[in-house]
Amino acid sequence: MKILTSQIILLVLMAAFSIYVLRVRRQLTDRLIMLVLAAVGVFLVLFPNASTWLANRIGIGRGTDMIFYFFILFVLFRFVAIARRQREIESKLTEIVRAQAIQNAQEGGRVLTGEQ
C-alpha cells in the first residue's frame, strides 16, 4: 500500500485537531481558527483553480475532494466548539437554579413564581 502525501497531511491534521481539542482549546484560538478558515474559503471562491492545483500537488485527484476532506475537519471543529458552548450554558443554568434554590430556602421555603 502506497501512502500518499495527502494521507499524511490529513492524518497529521487529525492528530493536531485531537491534541488541540484535548489540550489547547481557548476561545481566542477558536476565533482565530475560524477567521483563518473563512479567509481560506474566500481565497478559494476568488481563485477556484487553486484548490485543484493544490490537490494535485498533495496527491488528491480533484480540488473538490480536497475541499470535502477539509470540510470534514471543519465540521468536527464546529461540533467541538458547539459542545463546549453547550457545557458553558448548562453550567450557568445550574448556577442560576442553585442560587434561586438557596434564595428560596432563605425566604422560608415559599415557592417563587412570576406572580407576587
Side-chain angles (χ1 to χ4, degrees):
M1 179 174 113
K2 181 181 178 187
I3 296 179
L4 301 174
T5 304
S6 59
Q7 292 171 315
I8 294 170
I9 291 171
L10 289 170
L11 288 172
V12 167
L13 287 173
M14 288 298 292
F17 172 76
S18 298
I19 292 168
Y20 171 75
V21 167
L22 296 173
R23 301 284 181 203
V24 182
R25 297 217 50 214
R26 301 287 180 265
Q27 188 171 3
L28 177 61
T29 311
D30 287 356
R31 289 181 180 173
L32 288 173
I33 289 172
M34 291 300 294
L35 184 62
V36 168
L37 291 172
V40 169
V42 168
F43 176 80
L44 291 175
V45 167
L46 294 175
F47 304 101
N49 291 332
S51 64
T52 301
W53 178 85
L54 181 59
N56 290 329
R57 296 300 174 268
I58 63 173
I60 299 174
R62 299 181 309 167
T64 305
D65 294 338
M66 182 188 69
I67 290 172
F68 180 71
Y69 299 147
F70 286 113
F71 178 74
I72 291 170
L73 289 172
F74 169 76
V75 168
L76 288 173
F77 175 78
R78 287 305 303 153
F79 282 158
V80 169
I82 290 169
R84 179 188 51 81
R85 182 68 180 137
Q86 183 177 352
R87 281 192 306 273
E88 288 175 1
I89 291 170
E90 289 172 353
S91 177
K92 288 179 183 178
L93 180 61
T94 300
E95 290 176 21
I96 291 168
V97 170
R98 190 174 291 144
Q100 187 175 11
I102 291 170
Q103 181 182 3
N104 184 24
Q106 291 173 344
E107 292 178 359
R110 68 181 172 93
V111 175
L112 297 178
T113 63
E115 302 172 8
Q116 293 294 329

